[in-house]
Amino acid sequence: VSPLKSLLREDLRRRISARGRARGSSAARVSPSEGGVITSTHGDTAMLPSSLVCTFCSITFPDSTLYFLHKGCHCDSNPWKCNICGEQCCNVYEFNSHLLSKSHQ
């Protein structure tokens, strides 16, 4: 699994977990193999520094290494242009899909 794919999965898990806490309910752990959705993680989004959020993608990163790896994928002159291969994307969804689906070697 690529670092970016695992990063986006962790962010999704944190967002789902935070949503469950915001509603005042304790989210139950469900195994993905049982057809469920993972609703809790080991991290707490309230504890993450706000400086580790990509201003373009609104993704919160658990540490500075992952943050800078992701930020390095954005071109300085155009945030939706891939800094690895130069492909121009149209929006946040296309950009992140591109990062996950293209082989950047």
Side-chain angles (χ1 to χ4, degrees), residues 8-71:
L8 290 173
R9 283 182 182 157
E10 275 300 310
D11 185 62
L12 177 61
R13 288 181 187 126
R14 279 193 298 278
R15 287 175 188 236
I16 290 169
S17 179
R19 240 183 259 146
R21 284 192 303 273
R23 291 183 185 141
S25 65
S26 59
R29 291 181 183 257
V30 178
S31 169
S33 63
E34 296 171 346
V37 175
I38 297 170
T39 57
S40 62
T41 64
H42 55 77
D44 185 359
T45 51
M47 303 297 253
L48 294 175
S50 60
S51 61
L52 298 178
V53 176
C54 175
T55 56
F56 306 115
C57 299
S58 299
I59 298 172
T60 303
F61 296 88
D63 60 58
S64 59
T65 302
L66 291 174
Y67 171 75
F68 287 112
L69 279 172
H70 173 82
K71 286 293 283 181

Side-chain angles (χ1 to χ4, degrees), residues 56 73-83 88-89 95:
F56 306 115
C73 296
H74 289 286
C75 184
D76 289 335
S77 61
N78 182 340
W80 307 134
K81 184 175 181 178
C82 178
N83 202 32
Q88 177 65 52
C89 299
F95 180 78

